[in-house]
Amino acid sequence: MSNLNSLHSEIYTRHMKTVFRVCYTYMKNVPDTEDAVADTFVKLIKRNPSFKSDEHEKAWLIRTATNVCKDGLKQSWRRNRSDSENEFEQIFASTEEPFEAFIRNDAVAVAVMELPEKYKTVIYMYYFEGYDSAEISKMLKKPQSTVRNNLLKAKNLLRERLGDFYE
Amino acid sequence: MNSLNSQNNQDSNREDSKIAKMLGKIEPSETSERRILRKIENNLIRRERDFMRANILGLTAALASFVIIAAGVFLIPNMLNPNQGGISPANESDTTNSIETTNSIEQPDNGDKDGLNTDPAYRDIKFYPADESDYLIFTVENSIEAVFDKWAKLNNIEGVTVIESYYENNGVETVDGEVILHDSGKTTFVLVLSSGIDDYPDHVALVGVSLVNTLHDFTPFDELRVTSGSFSANILTVDGMKNLKPAIRRYDHPVSEHEFLPIKNTPPIDGPLSFDEIHAALKLWFDDEFIILAHEGDTLILSVEDNNLNEPVPAHIDAYLFVYIDESVEGEPVYYAVSKEDGMVYVQTENIRYPTMWTPFSKIMTAETSARLPELYIDEIHPWGLSCVFVNRSDMKLAT
C-alpha cells in the first residue's frame, strides 16, 4: 500500500471486504468487481472526505461503490479496458475464486444476483450488515419509505423465486 | 419489551438467514486483494503523471505566451518604424490582406453532434460521448454562455461568466459535468449538468446549482438520478431557466430522490416546506416515473408526462404527484392529480403504475380544504413524501 497513506490504508483494511461484497452483487464476476472496488477506493483517496464515524465511513463507501457499479454497468467500461489491462487480468483471472462456484450453484445466491439493481444494496445491508430500514435509510440518504418498499419488493421477488427455500 | 425481543429475534433470524450466509461467502482471495491494490496504485500513479503533464503543458504555454508578448513589446514597434526597416505604409495593405485571410478561415463546426441542435438552447454545445474512455469532453461555448447569462439576468445575477467547464466520470451516477460561473459580485455557482441518461442520450440536463465553496464534496449528488429528457429540455431553454430561480443549494445537504430542491431558499430543508418555499421543480425519480411540480405565486403549474405509465391519464388531469404517506399505508404510494381546468385534486391509491381510476379529491376532503389547495398539500404530504415531479416539455408554462 505504498501510495496509500496510513488513514486510507486503515479504511481500506476495515471496509475492503464490505465494498467487495457490494460490488460483486452488481458486477457478478471477480475482474469487474476488482475494478469497481479499486475505483471506489481511488475516489476515497481523491476526495479525501472526512468521516464522523465508522458507520459514516462505511455508508459513504457503500454508496460510492453502488454508484461506481451502476455507472460501470451503464457505461460498459468493462468492454473498453485497454489491452494491457485485459492481458493483466487474463493472467490472473484464469483461476476461479473459490466462492464463485458456490455462488453459481446456490439457488439463493442466483436469486439475489438476479434481483434488480436497485434492491441489491438494501438487501445486502439488511441481511448481511444487519441494519434495519431506518438505519439503511439514514446511511443511503433515502427516505425510509423507499427503503422499506424496496426491501418489501425484493423479499417478494425472492419469495417468488425461491418458494419455501426462502428463509 | 416484546417488541424489542421480536426485533432481536428478527435480527438473529436475519443473520442466520441463507442470504446472509451466502453473502458471507463472497470474499476476495489474497490474490484478488493484491490485484485490487495494484489497480489502486496504478490509478494513483497515472493521476500523478497526468497532473505533472498538465503542469508541464501549463508552464510551456505560459513560457510561450511570455515569448510572444516580449516579441510584441520589443520587436513590433521596430518593425512598424520604416526608418528601421519596418513595414512602410505601402505594406499596410498586405497586413490587412493577411487579417482578411485569417477571418476567412472556416469557423469551428458547431454542428449537430448527437442531435443536440434539436433544441435551440443546445445549439453550439459540443458534446462528445464517452465511447472510448471514462471521460466525456464537455465544452460550453458562446451560445450556452448566453443562455446562462439570460438565466442570470432572470434571477438578477449580473455579469455571469462561464469560467470553467469540465466533465469527469467521478462515479457520481448521472452527473456528467459542471459549469462553474461567477457573477460580477464574484459569487461562484456551479451548474451540475448531466447527459446521456438512459433513454435520453441527446439531452443535457441541468440537475443542480450550487455554491462552489464546498465543491470538493460531491456526495450529495450521488443519488441524483437525472430526469427525463423532457425535464432537461425545459431546464435548459431560456424560459425554463426561470424555473431555476436561484436554485442554489449547499453541497453539504444530501439530495435524495424524494427531496425537494428549493428554488428560493438556500438553507437545507429540515422540515416541512411551506408552499411558498417551493418554487419549482425538482428532479425526482422513482421507478421510472417522473413528475414535476412548479408554481409561481399562488398558482400551481403542473404537468403530466406519460412516462412509462402506459395507461392514459384522464385528459383533464394536468399533473399528478406521486406520494408516500408513511404513517398511513406502509410503502403504499398514492397519486394526487391536479386539474388546471376544474381546479380539482384527484387521488388514486391503487394500481399506481396504471392510474386509471381517479377520485376527485374534493369528494374525500371537505370543500373548505380542497379550496385551500396549497396548504392542503403541505399539510397532507409528509415532507419526504413527495417522490417526484415532472413536467411535460411542451406543456410547461409559468403562471402569469
Side-chain angles (χ1 to χ4, degrees):
Chain A
M1 294 194 222
S2 57
N3 273 315
L4 273 64
N5 66 30
S6 61
L7 176 67
H8 293 142
S9 292
E10 281 170 25
I11 296 176
Y12 178 85
T13 310
R14 267 201 298 272
H15 299 297
M16 199 281 271
K17 285 182 181 170
T18 299
V19 174
F20 188 91
R21 281 190 193 102
V22 170
C23 293
Y24 189 83
T25 60
Y26 283 87
M27 309 314 276
K28 301 181 195 168
N29 67 68
V30 170
D32 289 336
T33 301
E34 288 169 356
D35 278 349
V37 174
D39 281 356
T40 303
F41 282 100
V42 166
K43 285 176 204 317
L44 172 82
I45 294 162
K46 190 184 155 200
R47 294 191 209 155
N48 200 19
S50 54
F51 298 115
K52 293 172 197 151
S53 62
D54 189 42
E55 290 302 293
H56 184 205
E57 186 178 277
K58 189 195 272 186
W60 189 95
L61 284 166
I62 289 175
R63 280 203 317 273
T64 304
T66 304
N67 287 330
V68 166
C69 291
K70 286 181 183 172
D71 268 1
L73 290 169
K74 198 154 54 187
Q75 294 170 10
S76 63
W77 49 266
R78 289 172 296 166
R79 289 194 295 273
N80 292 326
R81 282 181 303 218
S82 68
D83 289 344
S84 60
E85 276 177 308
N86 282 331
E87 238 170 64
F88 170 74
E89 270 160 18
Q90 275 164 12
I91 294 165
F92 288 95
S94 53
T95 51
E96 192 177 58
E97 293 292 328
F99 71 86
E100 286 193 286
F102 166 80
I103 295 287
R104 212 176 32 249
N105 296 309
D106 181 71
V108 177
V110 171
V112 171
M113 295 294 163
E114 292 309 316
L115 280 174
E117 281 175 20
K118 60 187 166 190
Y119 303 144
K120 287 182 176 173
T121 305
V122 285
I123 281 288
Y124 171 80
M125 293 178 82
Y126 181 80
Y127 280 105
F128 190 78
E129 298 288 347
Y131 295 118
D132 60 28
S133 59
E135 289 165 328
I136 298 172
S137 151
K138 206 172 162 190
M139 290 175 83
L140 296 183
K141 295 177 178 170
K142 288 185 175 210
Q144 204 177 334
S145 58
T146 305
V147 171
R148 278 205 304 262
N149 207 35
N150 283 349
L151 271 174
L152 191 71
K153 284 180 182 172
K155 284 179 185 175
N156 286 341
L157 277 174
L158 290 172
R159 200 167 283 124
E160 204 175 278
R161 288 170 189 176
L162 295 169
D164 294 339
F165 202 59
Y166 175 67
E167 289 194 334
Chain B
M1 184 55 114
N2 278 342
S3 105
L4 192 64
N5 284 338
S6 147
Q7 179 67 39
N8 286 340
N9 286 338
Q10 207 179 14
D11 288 346
S12 136
N13 288 340
R14 198 190 301 170
E15 280 159 22
D16 292 342
S17 79
K18 289 171 182 154
I19 295 174
K21 283 179 185 162
M22 179 278 288
L23 289 167
K25 287 188 190 293
I26 302 176
E27 274 205 12
S29 62
E30 280 182 21
T31 320
S32 194
E33 283 195 41
R34 277 203 303 275
R35 280 199 298 263
I36 292 169
L37 274 174
R38 184 166 161 183
K39 280 170 196 282
I40 295 172
E41 292 189 348
N42 283 346
N43 195 308
L44 294 176
I45 290 166
R46 198 164 56 235
R47 278 175 189 281
E48 214 167 283
R49 206 173 45 212
D50 290 348
F51 180 72
M52 283 175 71
R53 192 179 297 153
N55 276 348
I56 290 166
L57 282 173
L59 279 172
T60 311
L63 191 62
S65 306
F66 176 76
V67 170
I68 290 165
I69 291 166
V73 169
F74 295 110
L75 298 179
I76 291 175
N78 289 339
M79 287 168 71
L80 290 173
N81 184 350
N83 296 332
Q84 292 184 25
I87 299 168
S88 67
N91 289 338
E92 277 175 1
S93 61
D94 293 338
T95 315
T96 312
N97 285 341
S98 158
I99 290 167
E100 277 168 7
T101 309
T102 309
N103 281 344
S104 72
I105 291 171
E106 209 172 307
Q107 291 302 306
D109 176 24
N110 289 332
D112 187 7
K113 279 184 195 293
D114 308 315
L116 287 169
N117 279 356
T118 50
D119 190 307
Y122 295 143
R123 253 170 230 154
D124 300 332
I125 301 177
K126 286 188 176 180
F127 215 85
Y128 303 90
D131 289 328
E132 301 299 329
S133 71
D134 288 348
Y135 291 89
L136 272 182
I137 300 165
F138 181 80
T139 61
V140 179
E141 298 186 8
N142 293 339
S143 66
I144 193 69
E145 201 166 335
V147 172
F148 290 129
D149 191 48
K150 179 80 174 172
W151 166 76
K153 278 179 187 154
L154 285 167
N155 295 292
N156 299 320
I157 299 165
E158 289 182 359
V160 164
T161 316
V162 176
I163 55 171
E164 191 178 348
S165 63
Y166 64 90
Y167 167 89
E168 185 184 357
N169 175 14
N170 48 20
V172 178
E173 191 173 24
T174 75
V175 174
D176 289 344
E178 299 166 358
V179 178
I180 301 175
L181 317 146
H182 60 208
D183 65 6
S184 48
K186 300 295 175 199
T187 308
T188 306
F189 307 96
V190 181
L191 306 186
V192 182
L193 296 147
S194 183
S195 66
I197 302 311
D198 300 333
D199 297 330
Y200 301 94
D202 57 345
H203 285 90
V204 181
L206 180 51
V207 296
V209 180
S210 175
L211 295 174
V212 77
N213 55 354
T214 49
L215 177 62
H216 62 279
D217 181 5
F218 221 70
T219 312
F221 284 90
D222 65 0
E223 291 299 327
L224 199 62
R225 293 297 302 251
V226 169
T227 56
S228 73
S230 58
F231 178 71
S232 317
N234 270 300
I235 287 305
L236 275 185
T237 56
V238 171
D239 285 342
M241 286 288 173
K242 206 169 173 185
N243 298 328
L244 291 171
K245 194 185 284 184
I248 299 163
R249 313 184 73 257
R250 287 177 57 81
Y251 263 77
D252 56 5
H253 183 57
V255 175
S256 81
E257 63 200 24
H258 285 227
E259 188 183 338
F260 275 123
L261 296 176
I263 296 303
K264 242 183 181 171
N265 299 282
T266 50
I269 310 161
D270 51 10
L273 292 168
S274 85
F275 194 74
D276 286 341
E277 287 172 321
I278 305 166
H279 277 253
L282 329 189
K283 124 250 154 136
L284 291 166
W285 177 89
F286 188 86
D287 278 1
D288 304 325
E289 287 98 359
F290 298 90
I291 310 175
I292 268 194
L293 158 73
H295 92 103
E296 188 166 281
D298 292 331
T299 310
L300 263 178
I301 304 298
L302 296 145
S303 189
V304 163
E305 176 159 306
D306 186 12
N307 190 343
N308 292 340
L309 293 169
N310 297 321
E311 294 295 317
V313 180
H316 60 283
I317 301 278
D318 293 297
Y320 53 89
L321 306 175
F322 181 39
V323 178
Y324 281 109
I325 298 181
D326 288 7
E327 280 69 36
S328 57
V329 194
E330 181 177 330
E332 183 70 31
V334 178
Y335 272 112
Y336 287 88
V338 177
S339 165
K340 278 190 286 193
E341 268 181 32
D342 58 13
M344 294 285 240
V345 178
Y346 297 80
V347 66
Q348 163 73 25
T349 56
E350 292 175 351
N351 195 10
I352 58 150
R353 275 195 165 272
Y354 306 108
T356 52
M357 298 293 291
W358 295 91
T359 309
F361 205 58
S362 58
K363 288 189 180 168
I364 56 171
M365 302 299 292
T366 64
E368 189 189 350
T369 49
S370 66
R372 294 168 57 241
L373 180 62
E375 290 80 9
L376 182 69
Y377 269 87
I378 296 310
D379 290 341
E380 292 300 308
I381 298 173
H382 187 274
W384 295 98
L386 183 58
S387 311
C388 55
V389 268
F390 78 122
V391 72
N392 183 297
R393 178 178 188 163
S394 54
D395 288 351
M396 181 68 184
K397 293 181 184 103
L398 291 171
T400 52

